[in-house]
Structure formats: structure tokens, C-alpha cells
Amino acid sequence: MVAKLDDYLRFNETALNLRAQRQQLLASNIANADTPNYKARDIDFAKTLQGAMDGKSSPKVPPVELARTSAGHIAGKPTGDSGIGGSPLLYRTVTQGSVDGNTVDMDVERNQFTDNAVRYEAGVTAVNGQIKTLLAAIQPG
């Protein structure tokens, strides 16, 4: 019974988790709009969601460790560029280059951020509808 409930809610749960992670990525792009040589990143949401629903993910690349020449050096940890949901992070296509090498286009980033937020809210509304339907089915009436 619980497995059927999980299956019923899995799509929206997965989509909301991916949207939340994408929102953090877009916020990072906006926060680094003035950082020299920063390259704006994003994911192919549809492809990532499809891969997550199929249970597939891109092959894991082992993290690169930094060489330590002294015991006093801090160990290098991976920065998390492996992607979201097993899909790799993509570089945003540059529409107009900047002198300092930054590829963040604030108009594009704001648009993507807002679109993702609206779709996240729609997903939350869909989950609420699913839960209300389940509650109506189990309550005596």
C-alpha cells in the first residue's frame, strides 16, 4: 500500500527536488554576476527529470583530488560540479560577452529564476491536490 502511495507521489516529489536544486544554481549565477570569468551554469531540466524518473543517471566520474605536497595543506574536496540528479551542469550559451569574461546575463537569469519559481509553486499545488484527493478517498463520507 505504501509503495503505491510512493509511486503516486514520486513524479511531483522528484520534479520539486530538481526544481529546488536548479533554483540554487540559478541563484548562484545571479550572485556571481560581477565575478570576473564566472561562467553561468544550468541544467537541461526535462532530460534530468526523465533520467531521474527512469532511474538512470550519468556515469559517475570519480572526484579529482588535489595533490598535497605538505601534511599541513588542506585536502582538496570536489566542488560539486558533477551536476544535479546525475545530469551534468551545462554552460549557458553566451549572447553577449563581457570584457571580464563573465557570461551571466541578468535578464536571462532573472527570467529563468522566475520561471523555475512559478513552476515550483505549480508543483506544490499539484502535490496539495494529490494529497487532498487521497484524504477525500479515505475519509468516511
Side-chain angles (χ1 to χ4, degrees), residues 1-140:
M1 174 82 155
V2 173
K4 289 183 180 184
L5 288 175
D6 282 346
D7 290 341
Y8 182 65
L9 297 170
R10 180 166 288 119
F11 175 80
N12 282 321
E13 174 195 5
T14 303
L16 287 173
N17 284 334
L18 290 175
R19 291 245 175 247
Q21 291 175 15
R22 183 172 184 236
Q23 199 73 350
Q24 290 177 346
L25 182 61
L26 295 170
S28 177
N29 288 345
I30 292 169
N32 285 291
D34 294 327
T35 304
N37 295 316
Y38 181 82
K39 308 298 180 209
R41 306 297 293 266
D42 203 355
I43 59 168
D44 181 344
F45 184 82
K47 190 182 216 181
T48 304
L49 180 59
Q50 184 65 46
M53 293 306 297
D54 292 343
K56 299 175 188 171
S57 64
S58 300
K60 294 286 183 186
V61 176
V64 177
E65 297 272 340
L66 297 178
R68 292 174 46 185
T69 56
S70 169
H73 291 168
I74 297 173
K77 301 285 185 200
T79 60
D81 277 352
S82 61
I84 293 175
S87 288
L89 294 180
L90 306 172
Y91 289 100
R92 178 133 11 247
T93 305
V94 180
T95 53
Q96 181 176 343
S98 114
V99 175
D100 66 357
N102 187 304
T103 63
V104 175
D105 182 346
M106 285 302 287
D107 292 333
V108 170
E109 298 303 327
R110 282 188 206 115
N111 184 25
Q112 291 297 317
F113 188 88
T114 303
D115 179 70
N116 195 62
V118 167
R119 291 176 189 264
Y120 183 88
E121 288 297 322
V124 169
T125 301
V127 169
N128 282 337
Q130 286 180 313
I131 292 172
K132 285 179 184 177
T133 301
L134 289 172
L135 287 174
I138 62 174
Q139 290 179 345

